[in-house]
């Protein structure tokens, strides 16, 4: 049983005063060899060698060198030397005065925090399990080895953490067929729900089939996904069928061009859910196919094929507006934004586009730029409208279509209703913040422990 | 007052435009693809119209829907290289007609064209007050002793009943970021009513409205009776609701329980002038915020990353302050900061906090904070993307109720009020 500390066994025997010291040793060796022949499968880190700590006040860093025998094989990564900024160590003190473990939030008041507080002393326990730092202000902080290993500031640790912290999936190109999920499986199995949410994040669109056709299905589904349906200026949810006095283009039976919903909002809903309560497949609804197009894919294609036009879409802002009267009373929204938004590393992270909501006012642009912008809009639209960017499908009664409203544009072909047939879609939104929150907690529950979701 | 679509100007303005329309000439430049209208008596006042833009915005019933005030012309039917075959002005120079090589013909009223013309002075133009009124800082860092600004107080009954009073309140909110509303009553329904007067309360994982009071098992420091750090709410959301309504239902009977508000933009400006190196860090370094917990049977874990001070940058280099994200409590332990930068990042965060706390007082002008003890029934309506707020410690019972709104919707309400009350130009 070489997992047990050799001196522990030895001192245990000595304490029992069964045998004098050197006999203990012989007995211990014999018991060791006999134990190894029985060989237990379980191991624990053996940190018999001491860790070494050094503080660099000039650089304001602290480094710990861990003995290799203390290596934790259960951890996915291990580094021999960890590195920490002193300001961060003080800021991240885990004692009850400074930190609340239930909410994982800092309780140390910022006004009492000195980011330059020097270290009075720093040491690691003999078993290398705990680093203790005594600060000049009299405070004392303790950090466990596992905790430190996970949060180290070495380049390799940061790179690993960066990948984990990125959380949101790398966006992937979709195939020409929509992936389908089953409604009742989604409502009953957390694993299937998590799979759907990951798929939505990665690919931006999917279909749910076999959902009930009652009007209350959508709010229940939204609650399952993200806690609540997020209302908009059109209400807690919206109905799409022909209206006699249209206040919005979607309510007619005409062709609806590809667009991002609520382009006239700067803070707009993240996920659109369309529940098909009724669209009979007996030929009584002619047309009405749904169009969905991958804005990120179209942007990537344009970046290569028409770089100047791509640049126009990322630099020339357009005003989008909506004017009318609905759930919130009279409204008049204006949002000025570029069609393609780039994040800090040059990736397209949001698309804003709507033919009908694009305002006529453009004189904030120089006239020479206007021609380029219009060509760019046209090229973008044409790219969106053909494979590999477009999917055309016809929603059937019981289908639910989910779209990432940051990335996927949607439209609809004109439709004709024959006789008394009804085309009725019920729509609503959920927020990505809440979707990601749900994903984090589901993943944590799936891992079966309370280890911090990274 | 000009409106979207093609409606008439009110009387006095109409006379002004007609009088200078007589000697108007129009030129088509097919190479540049621009039509230029100029006035013989005023050579400098040239108006330019790109051909693609003119075709895109044809006002005829086929291309434009007057009932929904939206473009009908589909992108798939639009050719950005369409050519103008001819262009002419009507006899009285009241309208311009363009014939296109796709067979279409478009007529534009000159008064409308004047409002939307491309000119030497329109490039880069923002559209305040139509889009957003510029914020006015609470204190001017360049002045030696500038008096701290005092918030406007309005009565609840007035803003619920009077559109004009509501409009003035919203304009003040846009410019200064804070308004105090008196005599609201103490029912938490009041918070919902204020929100509904504007649009509707924005549900978060804390509910449609939330209540703040000291609790035996506080879920965060807000639910204690302690003094709080200055912070903005909901920084752990990618786009947090920008407006907050906070009603004092029960105020502490003893000392303390004062509400503190600080102008994040004034603080940012002060740091920019005094420590540009730290300002650079505050505008570029991403800070990860997190809110993790459980409410009833719902577990949540929201994460978002923002720079502390967010700027709105134009391609031509012009910029203004857009948002502030700051919360010591919800700043996550895990950050993606390179080791070598960490100390300075903390120095920058601390320096920002010192300015807000009024510790970095080189002169009175750097005091960006104001303190007010809300009475029961008094509500603060403030810009959560600009102001930081906190409170002093207290003893005894104290309870607040609050809700959030989106700036998109508050601005929409301001615009429709202006339109109803016929105040201000619409572009």
């Amino acid at each position: 049983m070489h997992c047990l500390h050799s001196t522990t066994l030895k001192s245990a025997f000595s304490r029992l005063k069964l045998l004098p010291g050197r006999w203990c040793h012989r007995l211990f060796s014999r018991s060791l060899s006999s134990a190894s022949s029985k060989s237990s499968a379980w191991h624990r880190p053996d940190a018999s060698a001491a860790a070494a700590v050094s503080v660099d006040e000039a650089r304001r860093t602290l480094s710990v060198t861990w003995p290799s025998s203390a290596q934790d094989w259960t951890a996915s990564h291990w580094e021999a030397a960890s590195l920490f900024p002193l300001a961060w160590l003080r800021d991240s003190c885990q004692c009850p005065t400074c930190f609340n473990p239930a909410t994982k939030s800092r309780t140390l008041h910022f006004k009492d925090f000195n980011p330059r507080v020097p270290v009075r002393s720093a040491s690691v326990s003999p078993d290398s399990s705990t680093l203790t730092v005594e600060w000049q202000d009299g405070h004392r902080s303790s950090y466990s080895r596992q905790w430190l290993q996970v949060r180290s500031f070495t380049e390799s640790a940061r790179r690993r953490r960066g990948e984990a912290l990125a959380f949101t999936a790398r966006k992937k190109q979709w195939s020409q067929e929509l992936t389908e999920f089953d409604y009742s499986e989604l409502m009953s199995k957390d694993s299937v729900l998590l799979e759907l949410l990951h798929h939505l994040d990665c690919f931006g669109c999917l279909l749910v089939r076999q959902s009930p056709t009652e009007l209350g299905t959508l709010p229940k589904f939204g609650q399952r996904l993200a806690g609540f349906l997020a209302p908009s200026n059109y209400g807690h949810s919206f109905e799409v069928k022909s209206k006699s006095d249209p206040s919005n283009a979607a309510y007619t039976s005409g062709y609806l061009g590809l667009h991002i919903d609520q382009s006239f909002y700067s803070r707009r809903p993240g996920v659109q859910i369309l529940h098909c309560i009724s669209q009979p497949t007996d030929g009584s609804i002619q047309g009405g196919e749904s169009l969905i197009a991958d804005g990120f894919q179209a942007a990537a294609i344009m970046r290569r094929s028409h770089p100047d036009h791509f640049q126009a879409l990322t630099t020339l802002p357009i005003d989008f507006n909506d004017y009318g009267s609905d759930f919130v009373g009279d409204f008049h929204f204006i949002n000025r934004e570029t069609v393609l938004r780039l994040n800090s590393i040059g990736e397209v992270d949001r698309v804003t586009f709507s033919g009908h909501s694009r305002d006529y006012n453009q004189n904030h642009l120089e006239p020479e730029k206007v021609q380029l912008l219009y060509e760019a809009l046209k090229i973008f639209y044409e790219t969106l409208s053909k494979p590999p960017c477009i999917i055309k499908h016809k929603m059937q009664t019981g289908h639910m279509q989910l779209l990432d409203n940051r990335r996927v544009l949607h439209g609809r072909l004109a439709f004709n209703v024959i006789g008394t047939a009804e085309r009725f879609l019920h729509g609503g939104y959920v927020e990505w913040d809440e979707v990601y929150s749900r994903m984090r907690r589901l993943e944590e529950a799936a891992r079966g422990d309370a280890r911090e979701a990274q | 007052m000009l409106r979207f679509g093609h409606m008439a100007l009110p009387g006095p303005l109409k006379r002004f435009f007609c009088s200078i329309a007589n000697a108007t000439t129009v030129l088509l430049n097919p190479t540049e693809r621009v039509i230029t209208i100029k006035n013989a008596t005023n050579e400098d006042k040239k108006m330019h119209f790109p051909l693609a833009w003119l075709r895109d915005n044809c006002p005829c019933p086929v291309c434009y829907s007057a009932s929904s005030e939206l473009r009908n012309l589909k992108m798939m039917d639009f050719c950005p290289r369409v050519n103008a075959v001819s262009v002419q002005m009507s006899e009285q120079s009241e309208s311009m007609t363009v014939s296109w090589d796709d067979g279409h013909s478009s007529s534009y009223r000159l008064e409308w064209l004047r409002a939307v013309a491309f000119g030497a002075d329109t490039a880069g133009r923002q559209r305040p007050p139509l889009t957003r009124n510029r914020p006015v800082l609470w204190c001017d860092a360049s002045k030696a002793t500038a008096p701290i600004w005092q918030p406007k107080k309005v009565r609840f009954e007035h803003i619920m009943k009077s559109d004009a009073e509501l409009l003035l309140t919203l304009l003040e909110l846009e410019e200064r970021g804070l308004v105090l509303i008196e005599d609201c009553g103490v029912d938490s329904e009041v918070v919902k009513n204020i929100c509904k007067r504007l649009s509707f309360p924005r549900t978060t994982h804390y509910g449609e409205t939330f209540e703040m009071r000291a609790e035996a098992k506080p879920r965060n420091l807000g639910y204690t009776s302690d003094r709080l750090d200055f912070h903005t709410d909901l920084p752990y959301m990618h786009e947090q609701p920008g407006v907050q309504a906070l009603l004092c239902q029960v105020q502490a009977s003893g000392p303390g329980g004062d509400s503190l508000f600080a102008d994040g933009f004034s603080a940012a400006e002060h740091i920019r002038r005094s420590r540009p190196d730290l300002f650079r860090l505050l505008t570029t370094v991403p800070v990860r915020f997190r809110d993790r917990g459980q409410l009833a049977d719902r577990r949540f874990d929201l994460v978002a990353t923002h720079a502390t001070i967010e700027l709105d940058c134009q391609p031509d280099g012009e910029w203004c302050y857009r948002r502030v994200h700051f919360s010591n409590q919800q700043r996550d332990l895990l950050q993606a900061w390179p080791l070598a930068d960490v100390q300075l990042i903390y120095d920058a965060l601390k320096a920002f906090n010192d300015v807000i706390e009024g510790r970095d007082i080189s002169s009175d002008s750097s005091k960006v904070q104001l303190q007010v003890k809300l009475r029961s029934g008094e509500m603060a309506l403030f810009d959560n993307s600009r102001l930081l707020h906190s409170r002093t410690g207290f003893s005894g019972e104290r309870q607040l109720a609050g809700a959030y709104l989106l700036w998109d919707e508050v601005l929409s309400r301001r615009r429709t009020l202006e339109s109803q009350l016929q105040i201000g130009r619409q572009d």
Side-chain angles (χ1 to χ4, degrees):
Chain A
M1 277 206 303
H2 67 265
C3 61
L4 289 179
H5 202 286
S6 55
T7 53
T8 313
L9 251 187
K10 205 160 150 191
S11 57
F13 274 108
S14 303
R15 272 202 305 273
L16 285 172
K17 298 210 188 301
L18 292 173
L19 296 160
R22 53 195 164 86
W23 286 102
C24 282
H25 180 74
R26 249 183 262 158
L27 200 67
F28 174 66
S29 313
R30 209 175 303 153
S31 69
L32 251 189
S33 49
S34 62
S36 61
S37 65
K38 289 176 201 164
S39 69
S40 162
W42 298 103
H43 305 272
R44 217 177 278 161
D46 171 22
S48 44
V53 191
S54 92
V55 173
D56 185 340
E57 277 290 356
R59 285 205 172 88
R60 296 277 301 153
T61 56
L62 179 151
S63 66
V64 186
T65 317
W66 308 100
S68 59
S69 52
Q71 197 159 165
D72 184 358
W73 295 107
T74 63
S76 54
H77 293 99
W78 169 264
E79 57 179 17
S82 301
L83 201 51
F84 304 96
L86 291 177
W88 178 87
L89 274 175
R90 180 65 191 92
D91 184 48
S92 308
C93 175
Q94 299 284 288
C95 82
T97 320
C98 298
F99 190 77
N100 180 341
T103 58
K104 288 194 191 289
S105 67
R106 187 176 293 100
T107 50
L108 166 65
H109 282 292
F110 214 36
K111 66 180 176 65
D112 304 324
F113 169 65
N114 175 7
R116 294 235 163 219
V117 60
V119 170
R120 190 186 298 155
S121 75
S123 59
V124 180
S125 60
D127 62 356
S128 300
S129 68
T130 315
L131 165 73
T132 302
V133 179
E134 285 186 23
W135 306 93
Q136 287 283 24
D137 63 1
H139 200 74
R140 196 164 197 253
S141 305
S142 289
Y143 317 86
S144 76
R145 183 182 65 240
Q146 290 93 320
W147 189 94
L148 289 169
Q149 278 274 338
V150 166
R151 290 158 181 77
S152 172
F153 275 72
T154 56
E155 266 311 299
S156 49
R158 281 192 56 243
R159 211 173 322 129
R160 273 194 312 274
R161 200 159 59 236
E163 281 151 19
L165 279 183
F167 186 73
T168 60
R170 295 241 55 112
K171 307 303 178 204
K172 298 198 182 106
Q173 188 182 336
W174 56 27
S175 66
Q176 291 304 290
E177 294 290 320
L178 276 177
T179 303
E180 297 187 8
F181 291 83
D182 182 75
Y183 179 85
S184 46
E185 280 200 338
L186 283 167
M187 295 304 278
S188 58
K189 292 180 191 161
D190 281 353
S191 58
V192 180
L193 175 63
L194 185 55
E195 202 191 318
L196 174 143
L197 295 176
H198 266 301
H199 188 94
L200 187 62
D201 188 29
C202 250
F203 295 97
C205 62
L206 54 93
L207 213 58
V208 175
R209 50 164 196 263
Q210 309 277 5
S211 67
T213 51
E214 284 83 46
L215 204 54
T217 309
L218 176 67
K220 245 184 18 182
F221 185 65
Q223 207 173 5
R224 172 89 173 123
L225 246 61
F228 52 88
L229 275 188
S232 74
N233 62 310
Y234 292 110
H236 285 91
S237 60
F238 56 89
E239 295 177 5
V240 187
K241 41 182 176 180
S242 281
K243 254 193 190 179
S244 53
D245 179 22
S247 72
N248 186 292
Y251 293 125
T252 64
S253 57
Y255 165 78
L256 197 57
L258 292 170
H259 65 283
I260 291 281
D261 264 2
Q262 313 225 313
S263 289
F264 44 83
Y265 264 78
S266 99
R267 197 248 204 195
R268 70 183 72 117
V271 177
Q272 188 210 61
I273 308 173
L274 270 185
H275 177 212
C276 184
I277 290 179
S278 164
Q279 178 146 254
T281 46
D282 58 0
S284 53
I285 309 278
Q286 294 175 343
E289 286 90 343
S290 300
L291 300 169
I292 52 180
D294 187 353
F296 286 5
Q297 173 71 348
I301 291 171
M302 266 185 87
R303 197 177 213 151
R304 290 190 301 269
S305 62
H306 295 86
D308 289 341
H309 294 93
F310 173 84
Q311 216 216 359
L313 293 181
T314 60
T315 51
L316 302 175
I318 296 180
D319 288 348
F320 295 92
N321 74 341
D322 199 24
Y323 185 81
S325 194
D326 210 303
F327 170 68
V328 293
D330 291 344
F331 57 78
H332 182 181
F333 294 98
I334 302 179
N335 177 39
R336 176 173 289 186
E337 192 166 341
T338 53
V339 169
L340 301 175
R341 186 178 80 176
L342 297 179
N343 64 13
S344 56
I345 52 175
E347 294 172 329
V348 175
D349 73 347
R350 172 151 124 159
V351 179
T352 305
F353 187 89
S354 169
H356 46 271
S357 291
R358 187 163 43 81
D359 192 8
Y360 61 79
N361 189 89
Q362 264 178 38
N363 60 12
H364 55 281
L365 300 173
E366 288 145 29
E368 312 83 62
K369 297 254 168 73
V370 172
Q371 180 64 41
L372 180 67
L373 178 64
Y374 274 113
E375 287 176 14
L377 290 173
K378 182 77 180 182
I379 293 167
F380 185 55
Y381 199 84
E382 284 174 339
T383 312
L384 283 167
S385 304
K386 52 183 197 245
C389 298
I390 193 130
I391 290 179
K392 186 171 85 169
H393 75 105
K394 190 154 175 174
M395 297 261 275
Q396 291 170 30
T397 302
H399 273 173
M400 269 187 181
Q401 176 188 270
L402 273 71
L403 299 180
D404 180 350
N405 196 44
R406 303 169 299 189
R407 166 184 177 182
V408 179
L409 298 92
H410 62 281
R412 181 203 66 215
L413 297 184
F415 64 88
N416 272 326
V417 176
I418 314 286
T420 55
E422 190 184 52
R423 183 179 189 274
F424 183 15
L425 303 180
H426 191 206
Y429 303 102
V430 291
E431 298 288 6
W432 272 111
D433 284 313
E434 301 293 336
V435 169
Y436 288 137
S437 170
R438 170 74 89 217
M439 283 164 80
R440 280 185 199 99
R441 295 312 295 248
L442 285 173
E443 286 199 340
E444 200 182 297
R447 276 201 310 271
D449 59 21
R451 250 187 308 162
E452 186 165 316
Q454 288 201 37
Chain B
M1 184 185 64
L2 287 166
R3 284 272 297 273
F4 292 109
H6 308 270
M7 293 160 68
L9 287 168
L13 280 170
K14 192 171 185 172
R15 278 199 298 278
F16 170 74
F17 280 118
C18 281
S19 66
I20 65 163
N22 292 330
T24 317
T25 54
V26 58
L27 294 149
L28 164 63
N29 187 332
T31 336
E32 299 293 316
R33 296 185 48 75
V34 171
I35 285 175
T36 303
I37 296 177
K38 62 181 182 181
N39 192 299
T41 55
N42 190 353
E43 270 288 318
D44 299 325
K45 268 292 180 186
K46 283 187 206 166
M47 301 188 295
H48 307 287
F49 303 95
L51 290 183
W53 179 87
L54 278 171
R55 182 66 190 91
D56 180 50
N57 291 292
C58 171
C60 82
V62 172
C63 300
Y64 179 79
S65 160
S67 64
S68 52
E69 308 215 20
L70 296 169
R71 182 180 294 97
N72 258 350
L73 176 62
K74 304 288 181 289
M75 183 54 77
M76 63 180 198
D77 301 324
F78 169 69
C79 175
R81 288 263 148 199
V82 66
N83 286 312
V85 168
S86 73
V87 55
Q88 57 206 41
M89 295 292 273
S90 65
E91 250 185 53
Q92 299 298 318
S93 294
E94 279 189 354
S95 70
M96 178 180 86
T97 303
V98 181
S99 298
W100 305 99
D101 67 357
D102 63 0
H104 202 73
S105 181
S106 308
S107 270
Y108 312 87
R109 297 181 67 184
L110 213 68
E111 60 188 314
W112 183 79
L113 288 176
R114 277 180 221 286
V116 295
F118 293 70
D121 58 344
T122 63
R125 202 176 76 168
Q126 299 298 309
R127 291 169 78 188
L130 186 59
T131 44
R132 165 105 202 221
N133 280 300
R134 294 201 194 285
V136 176
L137 298 187
W138 286 11
C139 70
D140 188 343
S142 62
K143 294 207 175 85
T145 47
I148 188 81
W149 156 85
Q150 286 300 321
K152 179 182 159 79
K153 290 193 182 195
V154 293
R155 296 201 54 218
F156 179 76
E157 209 190 311
H158 286 168
I159 58 172
M160 291 304 280
K161 292 200 177 130
S162 159
D163 281 354
E165 192 69 50
L166 180 64
L167 175 60
L168 290 173
T169 303
L170 295 183
L171 287 168
E172 180 77 359
L173 183 68
E174 254 176 273
E175 281 195 354
R176 294 289 192 175
L178 172 67
V179 178
L180 297 176
I181 308 173
E182 298 174 314
D183 300 323
C184 303
V186 296
D187 195 335
S188 51
E189 277 300 301
V190 161
V191 175
K192 278 193 202 163
N193 292 339
I194 276 280
C195 291
K196 283 177 190 166
R197 179 86 167 104
L198 300 171
S199 63
F200 57 87
R202 273 283 155 172
T203 309
T204 68
H205 54 300
Y206 287 111
E208 202 179 26
T209 59
F210 59 86
E211 280 174 357
M212 302 287 296
R213 69 177 89 80
E215 285 175 354
K217 283 191 181 162
R219 70 190 83 146
N220 63 50
L221 276 186
Y223 296 87
T224 64
S225 53
D226 295 346
R227 209 276 202 190
L228 295 181
D229 274 325
F230 274 97
H231 62 282
T232 57
D233 272 5
L234 316 175
Y236 43 78
M237 289 188 177
H238 287 85
E239 295 241 13
Q240 68 276 57
V243 178
Q244 183 173 164
L246 200 58
L247 170 71
C248 177
Q249 295 174 290
V250 179
Q251 181 54 281
S253 47
D258 291 36
S259 297
L260 301 159
F261 297 97
D263 182 6
F265 291 178
S266 295
E269 187 58 10
H270 184 85
I271 291 254
R272 188 178 74 86
R273 287 167 189 269
S274 58
R275 289 295 303 271
D277 55 328
L278 297 182
F279 181 78
R280 165 67 58 188
L281 289 174
L282 292 171
T283 56
T284 52
V285 170
V287 178
R288 192 170 185 246
F289 297 95
R290 187 173 191 180
D291 192 27
R292 194 189 121 97
Q294 185 164 348
L295 281 165
D297 59 344
R298 277 202 60 233
R299 295 193 156 87
F300 56 86
D301 192 352
L302 285 91
V303 175
T305 303
H306 299 285
T308 303
I309 299 168
E310 197 183 310
L311 305 180
D312 193 358
C313 299
Q314 299 302 311
D316 61 359
E318 213 180 79
W319 64 271
C320 62
Y321 291 111
R322 184 156 184 255
R323 284 191 298 200
V324 172
H325 301 95
F326 194 80
S327 173
N328 188 47
Q329 258 203 88
Q330 283 139 359
R331 180 164 43 77
D332 196 14
L333 240 74
L334 292 172
Q335 300 288 345
W337 301 338
L339 177 67
D341 296 347
V342 175
Q343 182 59 63
L344 274 178
I345 292 170
Y346 274 110
D347 287 344
L349 290 171
K350 181 72 179 175
F352 189 58
N353 197 62
D354 283 344
V355 171
I356 291 163
E357 289 276 3
R359 285 178 175 188
D360 177 28
I361 299 179
S362 45
S363 69
D364 279 337
S365 62
S366 65
K367 194 168 191 293
V368 300
Q369 206 194 101
L370 70 86
Q371 185 161 337
V372 54
K373 185 158 182 170
L374 294 173
R375 293 193 302 270
S376 284
E378 212 173 357
M379 185 190 302
L381 188 65
F382 63 96
D383 184 347
N384 183 50
S385 52
R386 167 185 174 180
L387 301 199
L388 301 99
H389 62 281
S390 88
R391 60 140 198 267
T392 58
F394 61 90
S395 56
E397 219 193 302
R398 181 180 184 267
Q399 180 162 315
L400 306 174
Y404 302 103
L405 293 144
L406 295 193
W407 263 120
D408 287 303
E409 287 163 359
V410 173
L411 289 169
S412 166
R413 176 62 61 225
R414 192 263 290 159
R415 288 181 202 114
T416 54
L417 285 170
E418 276 177 337
S419 170
Q420 279 158 25
L421 297 169
Q422 305 246 310
I423 293 168
R425 283 180 62 90
Q426 283 296 296
D427 56 22

